[in-house]
Each structure stands twice: as C-alpha cells, then as structure tokens.
Amino acid sequence: MANNLLKYAVSMGLILICLWAGVNIQNLLGTSIPGSIIGMLILFGLMASGLVSGDWVKPSATLLIRYMILLFVPISVGLMDHFDTLISNALPILAAAVGGTFVVLVALGLLLDRLLKRGNK
C-alpha cells in the first residue's frame, strides 16, 4: 500500500515539476506557446533521453487518462457560453476542419506512395 502511494507521489511529482518548469519558461520567454505544452515537451525529452523512466510516470499518467473525460467538462461549459459565436463561425470552422483533414490525407498518401516505391527498388 505504501509502495503504491509512493509510486503515485513520484509520478505525479514528475508531471507537476515538468508542468511548473514549462509554465515558468513560458512566462520568462513571453511566448504564446502554452506552458503545459512546453512542460510536456520537457517530460518527453527527459523520457526520450532516458533520464526518466516511463515506469516512473506511468501510475499518475494512467490515472489522469482514466479520468480525462472530467477534464473536458469546463471546456464544454465554456463552449456552451459562446454557442452563438460558434454558430456564426460554423462555416469557417467546418471548412478548416475538412480542409485540414484533406491536406493531411493527401500529404500522407503521397508520402506513403513514395516510401512504398522506394522499398520496392
């Protein structure tokens, strides 16, 4: 029991330290990139370099992913507050979503075609 609690504390501590570092870097640089994204990149860099093991982060990451749907409730309420703005901009939003999807599909199709042709040579 105490061992599991310690694992959760260490993993949550690592995640929160990376988040804290990302927010501070964002404030120092004055960039528009959110501090949480910078923090995730820091955590990724630590894990990719081998300084932090994935097993150290896994307990809290699993817990956060399990209850992720609760994190979308405030966003959903915020969207409902601005529903009239969403409706008035529905066409540009839909065009961006469909256009972006189309661009990604075409780019991936061309890349896959090129890679498969190169593999057959």
Side-chain angles (χ1 to χ4, degrees):
M1 178 70 173
N3 192 18
N4 282 342
L5 189 60
L6 184 61
K7 286 181 181 179
Y8 277 108
V10 168
S11 64
M12 187 60 75
L14 283 169
I15 292 171
L16 290 176
I17 287 171
C18 289
L19 173 65
W20 176 79
V23 168
N24 284 329
I25 289 171
Q26 187 240 351
N27 287 334
L28 285 173
L29 297 178
T31 178
S32 62
I33 301 171
S36 58
I37 301 297
I38 297 171
M40 280 195 307
L41 291 173
I42 292 170
L43 183 60
F44 173 74
L46 289 172
M47 291 176 67
S49 68
L51 293 173
V52 172
S53 172
D55 293 334
W56 295 359
V57 180
K58 189 174 182 176
S60 289
T62 304
L63 184 69
L64 289 172
I65 290 172
R66 182 179 303 147
Y67 297 109
M68 186 187 301
I69 191 70
L70 294 176
L71 302 174
F72 288 107
V73 171
I75 295 170
S76 302
V77 171
L79 286 175
M80 285 189 263
D81 283 343
H82 301 287
F83 190 71
D84 55 339
T85 305
L86 285 173
I87 291 299
S88 64
N89 294 313
L91 189 59
I93 292 170
L94 186 63
V98 171
T101 302
F102 180 74
V103 167
V104 169
L105 283 174
V106 168
L108 286 176
L110 293 172
L111 178 68
L112 182 62
D113 186 51
R114 179 173 286 172
L115 289 175
L116 288 176
K117 285 181 181 176
R118 184 182 302 173
N120 289 337
K121 289 183 180 179

